[in-house]
Amino acid sequence: MTSLGILGSGRVAYALERAFTARDLPVTRMSARDSAAVDVLALDLTVLAVSDDAIGPVAAALAAGTALTGQGRGVVHCSGALDRAVLAPLADRGWITGAWHPMQAFAAPDTPIRAGVTWGITADPALTPVLLELTAALGGHPLVLRDEDRARYHAAAAMASNYTDVLIHHAALLLEDCGLQPDAALHALLPLVRTSLDGLERTGLPAGLTGPLSRGDVGTIRRHLEAIADRPDTAALYRAAGRATRPLLLARGMDPATADALDAALLDPVDAALPSPVDPAVPVDAAAHDAVDGAFRDGTAAPVDAAQRDLLDTPGTIT
């Protein structure tokens, strides 16, 4: 490919333009709303760096607005979650299509494309070598994906990037409760996060996990939960993240009894007080069932409607 076109006016579009230009790759960028946008289809490769929801409409408008046929030219989008089907209007006109997504956060308008970034690539076999070459030119690492794997791939990216921000937000709220201003709370946490990532890079998983869970410190977990009980959303996130740690703990060699004790400490008291769900494979105690039903019938318990009564007669139903 000797000529590149970018349609888009967002952060990824500008980052790609700067990256291509810095490497002396000929590139033309314009807004997808530009009346001359269809002109980039005459280039060897067109990159649609627009929002996910806009990719389909932009592809359809381009296909309808040009007299060209693809003739081996390429068109790719930069969505992590979408497959190539969204580019069908252009594929039907002869363009070879693909998806080329940088696994990187673009938090600011001037965020550059970093070396070492993984690029999720799904493309026609004729286009894949081109995207591999461009990825290498940008200092990236290619990850070739099937169309059906893209949503799972992007879910992984969202969890690692976006949910890290969510965890830090809740951690910062707790420091604000200790008297720190929001900016100070964030700056207090960032070095901790960076050193945690540094350790993870050096040692990998599960060895990179640190903290009271990794030590089996049940008492500290309980003290944490008592301290943050006045922030129920934060406590719920703490409990969910803690319980999701169990596979890592077992992989590190923790004995199951200690992992069970941690799980018990992390269980929401409301959930712990609820009866266990009925197992449909276990026979129902008929006498107990009739006693409950009778209580509803004779008015000693609150009346229920017919739909609720049906639930009593359906073992295993959870409302």
Side-chain angles (χ1 to χ4, degrees):
M1 297 263 172
T2 58
S3 57
L4 299 164
I6 301 171
L7 283 186
S9 53
R11 296 174 184 181
V12 175
Y14 283 114
L16 283 170
E17 181 183 20
R18 290 192 297 270
F20 288 150
T21 301
R23 290 159 178 81
D24 295 325
L25 295 171
V27 59
T28 300
R29 189 197 61 79
M30 63 181 67
S31 168
R33 298 183 180 89
D34 195 309
S35 59
V38 294
D39 293 346
V40 298
L41 290 175
L43 302 175
D44 293 322
L45 178 67
T46 300
V47 180
L48 303 187
V50 298
S51 67
D52 286 14
D53 289 343
I55 294 171
V58 168
L62 291 174
T66 182
L68 291 173
T69 56
Q71 298 178 340
R73 300 181 183 93
V75 175
V76 300
H77 65 68
C78 291
S79 167
L82 297 180
D83 59 25
R84 290 175 293 169
V86 72
L87 298 177
L90 289 165
D92 292 343
R93 295 287 304 276
W95 273 267
I96 53 177
T97 60
W100 188 45
H101 171 258
M103 193 183 279
Q104 176 188 331
F106 292 86
D110 60 349
T111 300
I113 292 176
R114 294 185 57 181
V117 169
T118 292
W119 291 74
I121 297 172
T122 304
D124 182 280
L127 186 56
T128 298
V130 175
L131 297 180
L132 293 174
E133 185 176 348
L134 283 175
T135 298
L138 298 181
H141 301 295
L143 174 60
V144 178
L145 300 161
R146 300 175 301 176
D147 282 290
E148 58 267 32
D149 288 334
R150 293 198 67 82
R152 183 179 292 266
Y153 151 85
H154 195 249
M159 289 185 71
S161 177
N162 309 150
Y163 293 174
T164 298
D165 291 358
V166 175
L167 287 168
I168 294 172
H169 164 69
H170 281 269
L173 291 177
L174 297 179
L175 290 185
E176 290 174 39
D177 292 342
C178 298
L180 275 69
Q181 293 298 312
D183 286 348
L186 176 60
H187 287 294
L189 291 167
L190 289 177
L192 171 63
V193 175
R194 291 191 182 100
T195 55
S196 179
L197 292 175
D198 288 343
L200 187 60
E201 186 173 28
R202 287 196 301 270
T203 64
L205 289 171
L209 181 67
T210 62
L213 281 169
S214 69
R215 298 188 295 270
D217 195 342
V218 177
T220 296
I221 298 301
R222 288 178 176 152
R223 281 188 286 275
H224 287 175
L225 288 167
E226 289 172 3
I228 66 176
D230 59 341
R231 283 196 175 273
D233 289 346
T234 300
L237 180 60
Y238 183 104
R239 293 179 191 278
R243 298 191 74 185
T245 309
R246 182 184 177 97
L248 289 174
L249 300 177
L250 295 177
R252 285 169 59 92
M254 179 175 287
D255 65 280
T258 302
D260 289 343
L262 290 168
D263 278 348
L266 289 161
L267 186 64
D268 191 315
V270 174
D271 293 336
L274 294 175
S276 298
V278 178
D279 186 345
V282 177
V284 176
D285 184 331
H289 180 277
D290 290 345
V292 173
D293 197 38
F296 282 109
R297 293 179 191 278
D298 65 19
T300 58
V304 294
D305 60 24
Q308 289 173 302
R309 190 179 306 284
D310 288 342
L311 291 176
L312 288 173
D313 295 324
T314 310
T317 301
I318 302 173
T319 58

